[in-house]
Amino acid sequence: EKRRSRPTSSSPSANEPQSESQNKMTSGKERQANENKMRMNERNSDKLSGDVLGPEHPPHAKDQILNGRHHPIQLHPRFRSSPSEAPRQIVCSVMAFLVIWVLATDSSGENSTESAIRRASLAVFMSFLMFCFLQTRDLILTWPHPGIWRMIFGACAFYSLFLVMLLVLSKDEARAILRAIFPGIGTQEDFDTGLRARIDNVMGTCKMTPTALYRQLFHCPWFLAHAAGWAGKMLVFRDYYLAFYAAVLFEIMEVTLMHVVPEFEECWWDSLFLDTLGANVLGMVIGTKINQWILSRRRTGGETGSEGGSLNDDDTSNQTELGSRFDWMGCDWKCFSSLKRMVQVSTAAFFMSLSELNTFLLINAFGIADNTSWCVLLRILFVALIAIPAVAEWYVYIEECDQYGENVVVRLGPSLWLLFWTTLLEIAVAVRFFPDHMRVGIERAGNVTGLPYDVLIPLLASIVTVFVWVVLKYGLIQSWSGTALVKRKPTLQSLDFLLAIACLPIAHLFQKGWKWD
């Protein structure tokens, strides 16, 4: 363009028409060459950044990789992962409006304040789900349909807003709203009088007898709850090592807080054999089979927006699908490949255990007499479903951080942030409405940690042993010269027997036999 805008010479020439035509031809060839070069650079840019960012990312995200700019990378910048998904905004809006209108004009039920609160909450919840289904972005998961995951995100977001409302109320006001929406939670008196009776009825005795085994397997819901829960967690982790690591961590949390949380009171053989090595492993096997079924469905049943019914590159080229980023069954967390990765994996396991602990804290904080009420079941369902895309986003986050280091800044995914925010709100609500019977258990410990000494000392012994193992395994001992840290490649060596030694103090906790009163 600069060549074309240059002024011509004032002196006329006989060859001027020919020179102008030659200049035009030369300028056209140069422009064509420049355009071809730009297309080639774009192809190379796509090839370079496609492995991590995927073809769904916009050009500016690729420039951040190529130019080394410290700007966040979006995991799913497109509004819709599948261009073939029909919006259907008017149809869905009209259908949702009709349902809400029926709830607003229904006069057949009881005319009470509790019934009005229940209908109003349901109408707001459905309206919010409709908004998320139509107007929010797709998550990292799109199978079986991206709209399902958008509604799951909306349900968990609505639950977090509900927690904010409870947090600013008094305990009596918050419990009144809960009971208006979920009448099955019972009264506080029902919770206080029935807690000890329920535990004694379930446990009976801690002697390993056929009667006690029958009670635990068929009379109480905890064995089936453990199996179903860890089947769901296999959909979250999709890795045996990480799932079993999280299972052991939660069992340690149970025996550590047995003097605080009444539901954690269990016999040693129940925690060790029926839960850790029984129901948890059974749930992991069932979860693996579900994962295999999902993988087969994705390969034979097609993806959202695909016409041929087969899973190929063309079908998934425009989708931020978990299965297109890494295979559904091939999630390799590399738990002990490095100290940084071990901390990241431990963070995921601890956070999921903390989220599970919040269930029992909220039950005791609000005095929910029936643990199988809709209030408890819906909370477990919402948090469990949002954890599936949240942990997938955490996996992508740590993988991209390891691959690119400080060259780019990777943003946390929306599901991961929402799960983190919801867990913080649950902890805040549990602390604000902390019940007296749990406070008494902490005060009986007699120290600032809130843990009895026969719990604290074995726990500290295990932590110190694991710390020594980490220092030796990952070579964190500083060299005598003081210039650098001596690091070596982590491998399974003879020093790993320290892990077995660290388990011995924890095994002592299973035989404590705390009794809550």
Side-chain angles (χ1 to χ4, degrees):
E1 294 297 329
K2 289 182 179 179
R3 286 174 176 267
R4 295 176 60 185
S5 61
R6 287 179 181 176
T8 57
S9 176
S10 60
S11 60
S13 174
N15 297 327
E16 184 174 357
Q18 184 178 0
S19 299
E20 290 181 357
S21 61
Q22 289 178 355
N23 290 336
K24 291 181 179 179
M25 292 177 61
T26 303
S27 177
K29 291 180 180 179
E30 289 180 353
R31 287 199 305 270
Q32 185 67 28
N34 290 334
E35 291 176 359
N36 293 336
K37 187 176 180 180
M38 291 175 61
R39 293 193 187 97
M40 184 62 66
N41 290 335
E42 290 178 357
R43 293 193 192 99
N44 294 335
S45 174
D46 293 341
K47 183 177 181 181
L48 176 61
S49 60
D51 294 337
V52 174
L53 297 178
E56 70 279 359
H57 285 74
H60 71 271
K62 302 169 186 176
D63 293 339
Q64 291 165 2
I65 291 282
L66 297 176
N67 300 332
R69 299 174 185 171
H70 292 266
H71 297 300
I73 293 179
Q74 300 284 351
L75 291 180
H76 32 67
R78 283 194 176 183
F79 188 77
R80 288 289 176 263
S81 58
S82 178
S84 61
E85 181 184 350
R88 305 194 185 281
Q89 295 171 302
I90 304 300
V91 175
C92 294
S93 300
V94 170
M95 293 176 61
F97 175 77
L98 293 177
V99 175
I100 294 174
W101 180 259
V102 170
L103 291 174
T105 57
D106 183 21
S107 58
S108 58
E110 56 177 329
N111 295 323
S112 62
T113 304
E114 290 79 6
S115 177
I117 293 176
R118 193 157 47 248
R119 292 199 312 271
S121 301
L122 181 59
V124 174
F125 178 69
M126 294 184 60
S127 178
F128 191 76
L129 286 189
M130 185 268 297
F131 167 79
C132 293
F133 179 78
L134 296 176
Q135 302 299 337
T136 57
R137 290 180 179 271
D138 285 343
L139 302 180
I140 194 173
L141 298 180
T142 59
W143 190 91
H145 191 279
I148 296 177
W149 295 106
R150 295 196 297 268
M151 288 193 295
I152 291 173
F153 182 86
C156 191
F158 186 86
Y159 171 63
S160 67
L161 296 176
F162 185 71
L163 289 173
V164 173
M165 181 187 67
L166 296 179
L167 186 61
V168 300
L169 300 176
S170 65
K171 183 175 181 178
D172 293 336
E173 294 170 341
R175 202 180 189 286
I177 292 179
L178 276 178
R179 192 177 179 188
I181 301 175
F182 304 101
I185 65 173
T187 62
Q188 183 69 41
E189 291 74 15
D190 295 337
F191 176 82
D192 295 335
T193 57
L195 181 59
R196 182 72 260 171
R198 290 196 305 272
I199 294 178
D200 290 338
N201 186 37
V202 170
M203 297 304 301
T205 178
C206 271
K207 294 181 180 180
M208 189 182 292
T209 61
T211 302
L213 288 174
Y214 177 81
R215 285 176 177 269
Q216 283 298 96
L217 291 176
F218 303 103
H219 186 73
C220 71
W222 299 119
F223 183 85
L224 294 178
H226 273 267
W230 285 102
K233 288 185 179 66
M234 277 301 293
L235 300 178
V236 175
F237 295 126
R238 290 173 294 108
D239 183 87
Y240 271 115
Y241 293 103
L242 181 54
F244 193 77
Y245 178 33
V248 173
L249 185 62
F250 184 75
E251 292 299 326
I252 295 175
M253 189 178 293
E254 277 190 340
V255 297
T256 302
L257 300 177
M258 192 181 296
H259 65 291
V260 179
V261 183
E263 287 83 0
F264 286 173
E265 182 181 341
E266 296 177 332
C267 297
W268 65 271
W269 47 267
D270 180 27
S271 299
L272 191 59
F273 297 112
L274 292 186
D275 290 348
T276 306
L277 302 178
N280 295 351
V281 175
L282 176 62
M284 294 176 195
V285 173
I286 296 175
T288 302
K289 297 299 182 181
I290 297 176
N291 279 328
Q292 293 174 350
W293 177 82
I294 292 175
L295 183 62
S296 64
R297 289 287 299 173
R298 290 184 62 248
R299 286 177 174 173
T300 59
E303 295 286 344
T304 302
S306 62
E307 298 179 357
S310 61
L311 183 64
N312 51 49
D313 295 338
D314 295 335
D315 293 335
T316 60
S317 60
N318 292 323
Q319 297 186 9
T320 318
E321 167 66 38
L322 178 61
S324 64
R325 301 298 297 273
F326 45 88
D327 190 80
W328 185 269
M329 294 296 295
C331 183
D332 185 11
W333 288 88
K334 297 174 281 191
C335 299
F336 302 106
S337 60
S338 65
L339 177 60
K340 179 181 177 181
R341 178 55 67 93
M342 188 190 73
V343 173
Q344 292 170 335
V345 171
S346 300
T347 301
F350 176 78
F351 195 79
M352 292 301 298
S353 300
L354 184 62
S355 179
E356 189 172 358
L357 173 65
N358 286 344
T359 305
F360 300 96
L361 295 181
L362 293 175
I363 288 175
N364 287 271
F366 289 110
I368 300 177
D370 186 8
N371 294 339
T372 60
S373 65
W374 281 106
C375 178
V376 178
L377 296 179
L378 287 178
R379 183 267 168 196
I380 295 175
L381 180 64
F382 292 162
V383 175
L385 290 177
I386 199 62
I388 299 177
V391 175
E393 291 172 353
W394 176 247
Y395 181 86
V396 173
Y397 175 82
I398 62 179
E399 283 289 319
E400 292 185 349
C401 287
D402 288 347
Q403 185 171 0
Y404 288 95
E406 300 179 355
N407 293 331
V408 293
V409 179
V410 183
R411 291 179 61 91
L412 294 176
S415 302
L416 180 59
W417 178 88
L418 181 59
L419 180 60
F420 174 75
W421 175 245
T422 304
T423 304
L424 287 183
L425 289 174
E426 288 179 338
I427 295 175
V429 171
V431 171
R432 174 170 167 75
F433 304 136
F434 205 73
D436 293 335
H437 65 273
M438 296 176 66
R439 185 177 290 107
V440 170
I442 295 178
E443 292 175 353
R444 287 178 179 176
N447 55 68
V448 295
T449 62
L451 300 177
Y453 287 105
D454 54 351
V455 174
L456 182 61
I457 294 176
L459 191 63
L460 289 178
S462 296
I463 293 175
V464 170
T465 308
V466 172
F467 178 76
V468 173
W469 173 80
V470 170
V471 170
L472 296 178
K473 183 177 181 62
Y474 298 103
L476 302 181
I477 302 177
Q478 190 171 6
S479 63
W480 291 104
S481 61
T483 56
L485 293 178
V486 179
K487 294 184 179 181
R488 57 185 174 83
K489 184 178 180 181
T491 56
L492 292 177
Q493 297 183 1
S494 58
L495 60 87
D496 290 335
F497 75 94
L498 289 174
L499 286 180
I501 296 178
C503 295
L504 296 179
I506 297 298
H508 170 71
L509 298 179
F510 286 92
Q511 300 182 9
K512 281 177 31 54
W514 274 89
K515 289 294 181 182
W516 178 87
D517 55 38

